[in-house]
Amino acid sequence: MKGSLLYEGKAKKVYYVDGKPEQLILSYKNDATAFNGKKKDQFAGKGRLNNLITARIFEHLHQQHIPSHFLKALNDNEQIVQKTTIIPLEVVVRNIAAGSLTRRLAIPEKTALNPPIIELFYKNDELDDPLINDDHAKRLADVTEHDLDHIKILALKINEILKRLFRQADLEVVDFKLEFGRLADGTIVLADEISPDTCRLWDVTTGEKMDKDVFREDIGDLIETYETILQRLEENKCVK
Ligand code: 5GP
């Protein structure tokens, strides 16, 4: 069933599916990278955790009528998705100031951002994923004004759904990164992953960081942290 390797990224391998050209298999790796690959390590079990957490979140988003590439989890480390052409934009939604925003604009960490702030980054490792505006995106990512409006509306809807979902797991959604892709007919859908690698999640009670910042800042056990996220999502009644 699993065909040849199409692409290997920092966190996932992408395979063709034999006999189904419109589908792909994403295989989640145990590698962790930060600061555009400058910091690297491997954590046994990380691929499984991000695969299962992403699967649960995408299933929940599907129930809430968010169009995405996700079809189903195949096993602990792999999921099957609809093939898309990835739009080379990282769409970041921020509810609380943290990370690059605090450094770039001197907004103190933990400042509430209401309404949330959406930022666009150009997905390009050689350029270190620079922050761009809508005009740059139209020029660089082959998107129209209408596409960008649609992407931003979807990103804000996803934010509301994720905030509610993670609240029930005693986690605050500080910020997260989304990627979108186009199906063969041009429809834009949510793609890639949503996991503690791509979100900042803070424990509501203790304020503890429960995401990849644990690795970026060397402040805890990554596997224990991601395992806690999966357990809390599994205990959560609204995620089947
Ligand atoms: P920041 O711009 O503060 O570094 O990141 C904002 C949010 O987007 C964080 O939740 C971060 O994990 C996510 N994010 C931004 N860029 C990337 C990226 O290239 N890879 C991953 N995995 N997450 C990213």
Side-chain angles (χ1 to χ4, degrees):
M1 184 185 197
K2 192 154 111 185
S4 55
L5 182 72
L6 166 64
Y7 169 80
E8 177 162 3
K10 292 193 281 266
K12 295 184 280 297
K13 288 182 184 174
V14 183
Y15 293 91
Y16 288 107
V17 180
D18 283 338
K20 298 211 167 151
E22 74 291 358
Q23 296 183 357
L24 294 171
I25 289 172
L26 303 186
S27 178
Y28 282 70
K29 306 199 299 186
N30 287 335
D31 301 78
T33 62
F35 313 117
N36 195 15
K38 288 176 200 80
K39 178 171 172 153
K40 283 187 209 163
D41 210 335
Q42 282 228 327
F43 296 91
K46 174 175 175 286
R48 169 184 166 271
L49 288 163
N50 278 348
N51 179 44
L52 298 182
I53 291 169
T54 295
R56 274 181 170 68
I57 293 174
F58 274 66
E59 278 160 13
H60 183 68
L61 290 171
H62 176 74
Q63 288 163 10
Q64 307 291 313
H65 314 294
I66 299 294
S68 83
H69 73 161
F70 181 79
L71 293 170
K72 63 174 181 176
L74 283 179
N75 54 48
D76 269 4
N77 283 279
E78 294 176 328
Q79 53 188 243
I80 192 152
V81 301
Q82 286 182 284
K83 187 173 192 298
T84 63
T85 305
I86 293 289
I87 297 169
L89 294 176
E90 297 193 342
V91 180
V92 169
V93 181
R94 300 181 184 273
N95 296 305
I96 302 174
S100 71
L101 181 73
T102 61
R103 297 188 290 274
R104 200 181 329 113
L105 297 176
I107 300 176
E109 192 181 59
K110 299 189 183 149
T111 306
L113 306 169
N114 195 10
I117 290 177
I118 298 184
E119 292 177 338
L120 300 179
F121 296 84
Y122 181 38
K123 205 171 135 61
N124 183 313
D125 281 344
E126 276 167 37
L127 298 176
D128 251 343
D129 298 345
L131 177 73
I132 58 171
N133 68 21
D134 287 19
D135 288 340
H136 297 131
K138 283 186 257 174
R139 168 78 203 220
L140 296 167
D142 196 22
V143 283
T144 63
E145 185 101 36
H146 178 265
D147 292 334
L148 285 174
D149 287 346
H150 181 54
I151 284 171
K152 288 182 193 174
I153 288 168
L154 278 174
L156 290 175
K157 273 192 197 162
I158 293 165
N159 185 38
E160 289 311 310
I161 296 167
L162 292 183
K163 280 199 300 188
R164 240 179 294 134
L165 176 69
F166 279 110
R167 258 280 155 172
Q168 287 160 341
D170 280 328
L171 293 161
E172 195 89 61
V173 179
V174 173
D175 57 33
F176 57 91
K177 182 261 300 179
L178 302 174
E179 293 185 25
F180 293 86
R182 281 184 205 277
L183 298 174
D185 69 359
T187 311
I188 292 178
V189 298
L190 176 66
D192 196 50
E193 67 178 285
I194 300 181
S195 72
D197 266 11
T198 63
C199 301
R200 284 197 174 90
L201 303 166
W202 291 349
D203 185 283
V204 167
T205 316
T206 64
E208 209 182 336
K209 294 180 178 178
M210 305 279 291
D211 54 62
K212 194 159 119 179
D213 276 348
V214 161
F215 168 68
R216 291 189 188 100
E217 300 173 14
D218 279 318
I219 49 173
D221 184 319
L222 179 137
I223 293 298
E224 233 175 64
T225 304
Y226 286 24
E227 193 72 64
T228 305
I229 302 287
L230 179 61
Q231 273 170 19
R232 289 199 197 175
L233 286 175
E234 278 180 347
E235 282 159 15
N236 189 339
K237 303 282 181 297
C238 84
V239 189
K240 307 253 159 38

